[in-house]
Amino acid sequence: MNFNALIKEIETRQWDVYGMEVYENGRLTHSYGDTLDSGFPIYSATKSIISIAAGIALDQGKIELERSILEYLPAGATGQMSESQTAAFREITLERLMTMSVDGFPFRPEGESYLDYSLSCPLPNVREKVFHYSNIPAYLVGVALTHAIQEDLFCFLEKKLFKSLQIDAAVYQRCPDGYFYGASGMELTVHDLSRIGLLLYHGGIYEGTRIVSEDYVRTASGIRQMNREGGYGYFLWKYRDGFSINGKWGQKCFILPERGLMITYLSHLEEDSSKLKTSMEKHILGIEQG
């Protein structure tokens, strides 16, 4: 590992990296930039937090992943759906949404009601499991969790996750219907994202406290749906011999338990995020690109 060489390349190339942390065997060994003081957008890394919320609800017996999403949505919304839409959504389980294996959703919900918009999307091939990335699945899972646990989802997260992780200044977004958006819109510090990564690295335990079951973490971080990136779990991405939390433009937490490594960084790189990842792999993982 040559952390200094990585930082030198970041600064030479003037990549907009807010901060970075490297953990070896669960201990912070290297740090760069603003990792503690400022929150930054994590974009789709928010989805991985929804995954953990789902795991906690599953452990509590509040949800079953093989059940239809319609069983967990408010009757006021589902009662307005057409017969064809109801039939299509009846085929969609929570697991299908969490693995992004429903084809046809637009990239994001829109309009005055994100829920009504999401439930009106035509889904002609709903029975075919195809990886199709969209913000709508994570949003719908968040709405479903709200009704399954009978509590505002962000309040639930504050009590069941953030308090134990000592995350006390998370910024978040709500949809026009009032639900925690869940697909994006959060801001965390680099160290906050590392805390979430460490929870997963340690199989659902953070500083000796069990937050989510090891079985769920193992399942969620495994390959549940293949894609061109190498596989997808429950709002988590397969990465080499581990997995990762990803947001657009360079928000990453690479979790590699077999190597005893975890690398977290937040950045804003609309064009060079893949180059930063390549540099990290070279200097931290010792992987030369062919």
Side-chain angles (χ1 to χ4, degrees):
M1 180 186 301
N2 192 338
F3 187 74
N4 289 337
L6 172 58
I7 300 309
K8 182 178 180 180
E9 183 165 6
I10 288 171
E11 294 178 344
T12 299
R13 294 180 177 267
Q14 297 183 320
W15 288 331
D16 194 4
V17 177
Y18 303 128
M20 179 180 293
E21 293 184 335
V22 176
Y23 290 76
E24 298 179 77
N25 299 314
R27 296 176 63 87
L28 178 63
T29 57
H30 299 84
S31 179
Y32 166 78
D34 183 354
T35 63
L36 295 171
D37 296 331
S38 305
F40 302 102
I42 64 169
Y43 298 104
S44 286
T46 308
K47 295 179 176 70
S48 298
I49 295 172
I50 287 287
S51 178
I52 295 170
I56 296 170
L58 181 66
D59 293 339
Q60 293 179 344
K62 299 290 181 66
I63 61 169
E64 296 179 30
L65 299 186
E66 67 273 15
R67 288 188 176 273
S68 169
I69 183 67
L70 292 182
E71 297 185 36
Y72 299 103
L73 296 179
T78 59
Q80 299 180 43
M81 298 170 65
S82 67
E83 289 186 11
S84 62
Q85 284 298 96
T86 300
F89 273 81
R90 192 175 293 121
E91 301 286 336
I92 302 174
T93 63
L94 289 176
E95 183 172 40
R96 290 285 304 281
L97 293 171
M98 292 172 67
T99 54
M100 297 285 186
S101 60
V102 179
D103 194 14
F105 283 121
F107 180 68
R108 62 173 61 88
E110 300 175 358
E112 296 181 359
S113 171
Y114 284 8
L115 184 55
D116 289 347
Y117 178 93
S118 299
L119 295 179
S120 67
C121 296
L123 303 171
N125 301 312
V126 70
R127 293 189 176 183
E128 184 178 359
K129 293 184 178 181
V130 177
F131 184 78
H132 178 78
Y133 192 84
S134 165
N135 282 350
I136 290 176
Y139 168 67
L140 287 175
V141 171
V143 175
L145 288 173
T146 298
H147 290 278
I149 63 179
Q150 297 184 327
E151 182 179 1
D152 179 80
L153 183 55
F154 189 80
C155 293
F156 178 81
L157 282 165
E158 283 189 309
K159 291 189 296 185
K160 300 297 184 181
L161 179 64
F162 297 150
K163 183 177 179 181
S164 296
L165 269 55
Q166 297 139 47
I167 296 173
D168 56 12
V171 174
Y172 68 101
Q173 178 182 340
R174 292 188 182 274
C175 77
D177 301 280
Y179 294 104
F180 172 57
Y181 182 38
S184 186
M186 287 197 73
E187 294 182 12
L188 295 175
T189 68
V190 173
H191 193 60
D192 287 341
L193 186 57
S194 287
R195 288 176 169 130
I196 292 166
L198 286 170
L199 170 69
L200 299 173
Y201 175 92
H202 289 297
I205 294 174
Y206 184 79
E207 294 187 348
T209 298
R210 168 70 64 188
I211 296 174
V212 64
S213 67
E214 185 176 12
D215 284 346
Y216 179 78
V217 174
R218 184 184 305 111
T219 302
S221 61
I223 297 176
R224 314 305 302 171
Q225 173 68 39
M226 281 304 301
N227 60 16
R228 65 183 183 183
E229 287 82 9
Y232 197 74
Y234 293 158
F235 299 139
L236 292 165
W237 297 83
K238 177 65 178 174
Y239 176 72
R240 299 192 178 273
D241 54 1
F243 56 100
S244 66
I245 298 170
N246 292 4
K248 71 176 181 178
W249 298 340
Q251 299 80 45
K252 300 283 188 179
C253 182
F254 300 101
I255 302 160
L256 302 164
E258 293 186 13
R259 304 185 193 211
L261 281 174
M262 193 182 83
I263 305 99
T264 306
Y265 55 79
L266 295 179
S267 60
H268 186 90
L269 299 169
E270 297 185 27
E271 297 180 357
D272 289 342
S273 62
S274 63
K275 294 179 181 178
L276 173 58
K277 176 184 171 184
T278 298
S279 181
M280 181 280 293
E281 291 175 333
K282 175 182 177 181
H283 297 299
I284 304 301
L285 303 183
I287 298 170
E288 295 284 350
Q289 302 297 315

